[in-house]
Amino acid sequence: MEVKIGVQNAAREIVLESTQTADEVESAVAAAVDGGKLLKLTDEHGRKILVPADRLAYVEIGEPARQKVGFGTL
């Protein structure tokens, strides 16, 4: 599951591949925003991503785009 996190006053967004489901990520974001705490997510390599909820600009939850392999035409 690909997750993109926009952080206020940061030039780049945080992009991670998570093993969590879309519902789990959505619940984590909602809990962080409602409680004013940290958004805590784990990527596919077990690394933890922590973002203060008051600094979140947006969170985009979606499936990763499949990359084409080899030579292809449009």
Side-chain angles (χ1 to χ4, degrees):
M1 170 73 50
E2 183 179 65
V3 180
K4 294 181 183 179
I5 303 170
V7 181
Q8 295 176 14
N9 301 321
R12 291 184 168 180
E13 63 189 8
I14 300 169
V15 179
L16 66 123
E17 288 290 328
S18 178
T19 57
Q20 296 169 296
T21 66
D23 290 336
E24 291 172 338
V25 173
E26 185 176 351
S27 295
V29 172
V33 171
D34 288 342
K37 299 181 181 182
L38 288 173
L39 170 61
K40 300 175 187 178
L41 298 175
T42 306
D43 73 0
E44 62 186 2
H45 301 290
R47 294 178 290 214
K48 295 186 183 213
I49 293 82
L50 306 171
V51 181
D54 63 341
R55 297 291 178 203
L56 290 175
Y58 63 89
V59 177
E60 183 179 314
I61 305 167
E63 294 296 326
R66 300 272 182 195
Q67 295 181 356
K68 295 180 182 179
V69 177
F71 298 98
T73 59
L74 297 175

